[in-house]
Amino acid sequence: MKNVIIIASKEIREGLRNRWVLATTLLLGALALTLSFLGSAPTGNVGTDQLDIVIVSLSSLTIFLVPLIALLLSHDAIVGEMERGTMLLLLSYPVGRNQVILGKFLGHIAILSFATLLGYGAAAVALAATGAKIDAASWSAFAAMLASSILLGGVFVAIGYLVSALAGERSTAGGIAIGVWLFFVLIYDMALLGTLVAAGGHALPTGLLDALLLINPTDAYRLLNLGSGSAGALSGMGGVAEHSMLGTTTLLTALAFWTAGPLALAAMTFSRREL
């Protein structure tokens, strides 16, 4: 475990030195503050809690931005170090390849967690500072949104490691990572929307709809945060949730599986790869 912590600390120091931590935190904070104050403007008309509006806005932002940041952080974690020759040096010490993967994962999750908590947290603190009335249920939903956003980031960090372990060159890994992001964030949902339109207004069987939502981790995240309560009414996901049998536990389990599966495959691929 000591080796894992040392490698995680190394990744955090590199993130600080490369300005990844600063840039990610500022980006998330600036967008969160903008969405919070612009997005909560109509609450006087719809009569809902301002923080619920913020949750809907930030959840939509997370689906696009957090997977991209996670893939940019992780896509060259293995192949990049192999090209630079630093992986050979690292493995010359008494450290296992699985420990390298786990240490890097913890380091990158720490960077994402810091940026998400500080960036999104600043938006909530700023909103509370304006005197907006926020009830306990909204604070609870906001905390759940923060935790699930970090979990979604973990999913795409793990996918990035798998890409990095499979790719022969850093540039190839970068191209595949962008393709993965496009598929899960844009193409898959467009195809799903096309399927629903082709159904001619007839609802898909519940089991098929649930399977299609679980295949894409961003859809599982979307249903988890926007499928119930005030967020469900504001985002329109409440209608989808009514036709789904997926509960909070199932959606969290799916996201955990999406993290553990690619991470295990990345570790297995890296263990068989020649340096």
Side-chain angles (χ1 to χ4, degrees), residues 1-180:
M1 193 62 192
K2 182 181 177 182
N3 290 337
V4 173
I5 295 173
I6 291 173
I7 294 171
S9 301
K10 166 183 166 293
E11 292 298 325
I12 295 172
R13 286 196 302 273
E14 288 184 355
L16 291 170
R17 188 167 59 246
N18 297 334
R19 304 289 191 271
W20 259 111
V21 177
L22 179 63
T24 305
T25 305
L26 289 178
L27 177 64
L28 290 178
L31 291 174
L33 286 169
T34 303
L35 287 174
S36 298
F37 288 103
L38 292 181
S40 61
T43 52
N45 297 325
V46 299
T48 189
D49 197 312
Q50 286 187 338
L51 191 57
D52 291 333
I53 301 284
V54 172
I55 292 170
V56 174
S57 300
L58 293 185
S59 296
S60 301
L61 173 68
T62 298
I63 290 167
F64 287 92
L65 199 55
V66 169
L68 182 61
I69 293 172
L71 287 168
L72 290 176
L73 272 174
S74 60
H75 77 276
D76 68 341
I78 297 172
V79 69
E81 290 220 31
M82 291 177 71
E83 282 188 358
R84 293 189 293 270
T86 51
M87 183 63 77
L88 191 61
L89 176 63
L90 179 61
L91 292 177
S92 66
Y93 292 97
V95 55
R97 297 193 181 196
N98 290 341
Q99 291 176 319
V100 172
I101 294 287
L102 185 57
K104 285 179 173 291
F105 180 76
L106 293 179
H108 285 150
I109 288 299
I111 292 173
L112 268 178
S113 300
F114 178 81
T116 304
L117 294 176
L118 198 62
Y120 287 2
V125 170
L127 194 63
T130 63
K133 292 182 179 179
I134 303 172
D135 58 29
S138 295
W139 280 116
S140 178
F142 184 77
M145 187 273 292
L146 287 179
S148 58
S149 297
I150 295 170
L151 182 55
L152 182 67
V155 169
F156 282 90
V157 166
I159 293 175
Y161 289 165
L162 179 58
V163 171
S164 191
L166 291 170
E169 296 180 359
R170 186 182 177 190
S171 57
T172 305
I176 296 174
I178 295 299
V180 167

Side-chain angles (χ1 to χ4, degrees), residues 250-261:
T250 305
L251 293 170
L252 287 174
T253 302
L255 289 175
F257 174 80
W258 266 107
T259 303

